[in-house]
Amino acid sequence: VAPISVATLAAMKGRGEPIASLTCYDASFARLLDGVGVDMMLVGDSLGMVLQGHGTTVPVTMDDMVYHTAAVARARGRALVVADLPFLAYATPERALNNAARLMQEGGAQVVKLEGGAPMLETVRRLTEQGIPVCAHLGLLPQSVNRIGGYRFQGRDHASAEAIRHDALAMQDAGASLMVLECVPAALAAEISRTLSIPVIGIGAGPDCDGQVLVVYDMLGLNAGRAPSFSRDFLGSCGSIESAVRGYVEAVRSGAFPAEAETPY
Ligand code: KIV
Ligand code: NA
């Protein structure tokens, strides 16, 4: 099977085939996810919370990201490996270039992801000019939690929805190859997914995105009581991690996930 590239995901969007993505932080999960047909494995800085036990993603370092990205990339067969640039690792375009180089050269990532809209456009242009595929991340920006004051849905009022809509187009124009939309109303995510030509992967963004992503531990019920309202426990109802991940991929492909109950706004 041919390895997946950003072009493969764009072609899936063109065919209306939903993209199934999960976070992944180690080689054992990477082998399992890849084998079951997950299209994109995101080495998310959520590892600061679910692996390291921090309350936010802010403490995650470049060394942490390189270590986990390398573990995932070693076990990769077909799935696209996307790695997060952590807090302040892209505070200037130069830092972003150096740190993206680390994620790709030391870590083996194929795409780097960064949070933010208008202030990040120049950085996205610089990275894409150098041949680095960028996944933009709009809506709830967990690295900015200390400024926002909590993990809240974004884009619920007119001005904030307008800003996200505008940033989404600007990110595509700046050269972003993919986009994650986190915790925005379903109608806004649907509109952005329709408008953009690049694939839009939603988390807590309703069913009408080009794909879905969840934190793998949340969808295995490991964070029971702490998992967000837009997640689903796929393991509770079946016998193995492998069948849970298979169930997730099938539910994303068929449109059965997320359902109404997992679409808060
Ligand atoms: O770090 C992460 O897991 C993420 C996803 C929630 C999109 O950025
Ligand atoms: Na992240």
Side-chain angles (χ1 to χ4, degrees), residues 86-255:
F87 184 64
L88 294 189
Y90 49 104
T92 66
E94 278 61 40
R95 288 193 74 172
L97 278 170
N98 290 333
N99 287 321
R102 289 197 62 196
L103 291 176
M104 296 177 80
Q105 296 182 309
E106 297 172 47
Q110 292 152 306
V111 179
V112 303
K113 181 162 83 54
L114 53 79
E115 296 181 10
M120 290 303 131
L121 292 172
E122 178 57 23
T123 296
V124 172
R125 274 190 288 269
R126 292 285 295 280
L127 292 170
T128 53
E129 271 166 18
Q130 297 301 322
I132 301 168
V134 175
C135 178
H137 181 152
L138 298 176
L140 174 62
L141 309 180
Q143 292 173 14
S144 299
V145 66
N146 290 301
R147 180 169 55 76
I148 305 165
Y151 296 102
R152 295 199 198 93
F153 266 73
Q154 304 292 310
R156 295 184 63 201
D157 60 82
H158 180 75
S160 145
E162 199 50 56
I164 293 169
R165 211 179 268 122
H166 180 269
D167 284 351
L169 272 170
M171 275 288 162
Q172 171 172 284
D173 290 345
S177 298
L178 299 171
M179 181 168 299
V180 164
L181 274 184
E182 178 165 1
C183 293
V184 301
L188 176 62
E191 185 198 332
I192 291 173
S193 303
R194 269 197 313 274
T195 308
L196 296 195
S197 56
I198 60 172
V200 175
I201 317 288
I203 173 162
D208 299 319
C209 301
D210 304 309
Q212 298 289 330
V213 61
L214 285 177
V215 169
V216 68
Y217 293 166
D218 289 344
M219 58 76 65
L220 295 175
L222 257 173
N223 286 315
R226 281 197 189 202
S229 59
F230 51 77
S231 194
R232 183 190 295 180
D233 177 1
F234 282 85
L235 182 59
S237 51
C238 62
S240 72
I241 292 175
E242 183 171 328
S243 55
V245 173
R246 209 180 287 284
Y248 168 77
V249 171
E250 283 165 10
V252 170
R253 294 229 196 284
S254 71

